[in-house]
Amino acid sequence: MSAEHSVLRSVQHSRMKLHILRFVIAAVLVTAPGAAHGQRVAKYGADFLAGGVGARALGMGGAHVALTQNVNSGYWNAAGLSHTVHAEVAYMHAERFAGIVTFDYAGLSFPVTSTSTVGLSYYRSGVNDIKNTLNAWDVVRNQPKAHPETYITTFSAADAAFFVSYARSVWTRLAVGVSAKIIRRSIGDFANAWGYSFDIGAQFRGRRFLFGANLQDASTMLQSWSINEAAFTIEGTNPDTGEQLTFEEVFDQELPTGQTFLVLPVLRLGSGIVLPIGLGSTLTAGMDLDVAFDGQKANSISAGAMSLHPRLGTEFKFRGVVALRAGISHLGHGGDYGFDFVPSIGAGLDVAPFAVDYGFGDFGGLSSDLGYSHRISVRFALTRDRFARDASDAEG
């Protein structure tokens, strides 16, 4: 390879990294466009949580508001925690968009009385090892600096959430629950945000039919972004003026400023049925409907400011051990693309006290170029007596 060709490839590679950084900075500009505009509705302010947790639920298309009854209920519907008999721990790892985005979840639940249960859960979604080439490119000479690799650093764009959940059985078939949420979002050292809200839910379980409701972000989540101006510092001076280069001068746009955003509530309704089909096997079906009021119209059934997001799922479980699942996590009208749906499939093995589940899905429908998503989750019940629900203090 000639020296000229090597230099050309280095230039192209550096430009590509610079474009990546510009894209990330643009994301900051979009999410924090200026305090002068006051509070704004963030349509996608908590979308990193929208994918859900637990490969069983995700293999069933996410139709789980009425069906959830284990440690993962802290996410789907806190009321479902009341159906746990022992303390449980869970973990899930998922890779999205061909592995570019990673998602991890860990949960813990434990009964505290015969009617009350507490849950803790942590979520993280991020893109890691993003190249920061702000100071590797000579903006005046329009070419890489000598030994540009010495100027390149890496950072992560990550979102994290911590839930504290509480569930209580108020009647033999009726339970209620609440999840308090803390959200932390960051784009390297460039910007970060904190958010706070809570979910409230209820669940009714008949002999075969199940119903559930969960009001997500019932208080309206507040996300307050702050910008670290020092992280946008450009090394070098303008040869014409002798002054320090600025972000505005290099990128021809204003430095972003912080702002508080609102994430509006979403009402998630669910129903389900569990049918015994002999040989100790069951067939479970679920249907959820999310009702949002944030004006989202893309990839949903919408009417004015309200949008409807249906999800469907089914599971066949043989002798309570081996499960096969399928679902539709999105069903709607995709604008120029017409009718669109996103399928998912999964399988599980439940050998008490362990359960291992796998889910496979596509984030953008059958014709998506965004890559497929693999979800693997494990759940473990602590079956010792000291971790079991104590029925001796039953109320009433």
Side-chain angles (χ1 to χ4, degrees), residues 302-324:
S302 60
M306 183 177 69
S307 59
L308 307 177
H309 305 257
R311 297 189 302 275
L312 305 171
T314 186
E315 174 192 67
F316 168 72
K317 196 166 189 179
F318 179 70
R319 293 186 179 275
V321 177
V322 178
L324 298 176

Side-chain angles (χ1 to χ4, degrees), residues 49-317:
L49 290 172
V53 300
R56 179 190 183 231
L58 299 178
M60 298 176 66
H64 225 56
V65 170
L67 300 177
T68 184
Q69 56 180 340
N70 56 37
V71 59
N72 299 327
S73 300
Y75 171 86
W76 295 104
N77 183 348
L81 291 170
S82 64
H83 301 288
T84 59
V85 178
H86 300 91
E88 295 182 355
V89 294
Y91 174 75
M92 185 188 84
H93 175 76
E95 296 186 356
R96 301 171 174 175
F97 307 113
I100 296 175
V101 180
T102 60
F103 181 89
D104 291 280
Y105 152 76
L108 166 67
S109 68
F110 47 93
V112 291
T113 71
S114 63
T115 58
S116 301
T117 310
V118 172
L120 305 174
S121 48
Y122 175 78
Y123 315 78
R124 184 190 184 276
S125 176
V127 180
N128 301 315
D129 297 322
I130 302 173
K131 303 297 183 183
N132 179 357
T133 60
L134 266 178
N135 295 304
W137 186 261
D138 191 328
V139 295
V140 177
R141 297 165 56 211
N142 197 30
Q143 66 181 36
K145 294 179 179 178
H147 306 293
E149 66 278 0
T150 63
Y151 298 93
I152 296 174
T153 59
T154 60
F155 67 94
S156 298
D159 298 315
F162 180 68
F163 288 19
V164 178
S165 305
Y166 174 79
R168 185 178 182 84
S169 296
V170 295
W171 182 47
T172 305
R173 301 187 182 276
L174 180 66
V176 296
V178 60
S179 289
K181 309 192 296 188
I182 301 175
I183 307 295
R184 168 71 171 179
R185 308 185 66 190
S186 64
I187 303 178
D189 294 329
F190 299 98
N192 64 79
W194 289 95
Y196 310 90
S197 70
F198 65 90
D199 302 346
I200 54 176
Q203 201 174 66
F204 175 83
R205 302 181 69 86
R207 295 183 181 276
R208 294 185 180 179
F209 290 95
L210 317 171
F211 301 94
N214 186 42
L215 184 58
Q216 183 175 291
D217 297 315
S219 61
T220 300
M221 180 187 293
L222 299 179
Q223 288 187 3
S224 299
W225 280 94
S226 61
I227 306 298
N228 179 16
E229 296 185 7
F232 291 88
T233 300
I234 307 295
E235 294 181 1
T237 59
N238 189 318
D240 297 328
T241 64
E243 297 180 354
Q244 173 74 38
L245 288 169
T246 65
F247 176 86
E248 293 87 344
E249 181 181 2
V250 173
F251 293 100
D252 193 28
Q253 59 188 13
E254 294 182 0
L255 194 68
T257 57
Q259 187 181 6
T260 298
F261 280 78
L262 306 177
V263 178
L264 299 181
V266 175
L267 178 61
R268 311 183 78 171
L269 304 173
S271 61
I273 185 172
V274 180
L275 298 174
I277 55 176
L279 299 177
S281 303
T282 57
L283 180 65
T284 302
M287 180 177 69
D288 282 9
L289 180 67
D290 292 358
V291 183
F293 305 94
D294 54 10
Q296 290 191 51
K297 294 184 179 181
N299 301 320
S300 64
I301 303 170
S302 60
M306 183 177 69
S307 59
L308 307 177
H309 305 257
R311 297 189 302 275
L312 305 171
T314 186
E315 174 192 67
F316 168 72
K317 196 166 189 179

Side-chain angles (χ1 to χ4, degrees), residues 340-343 362-369 372:
D340 184 39
F341 69 98
V342 180
D362 182 2
F363 269 78
L366 295 176
S367 60
S368 173
D369 295 323
Y372 299 99

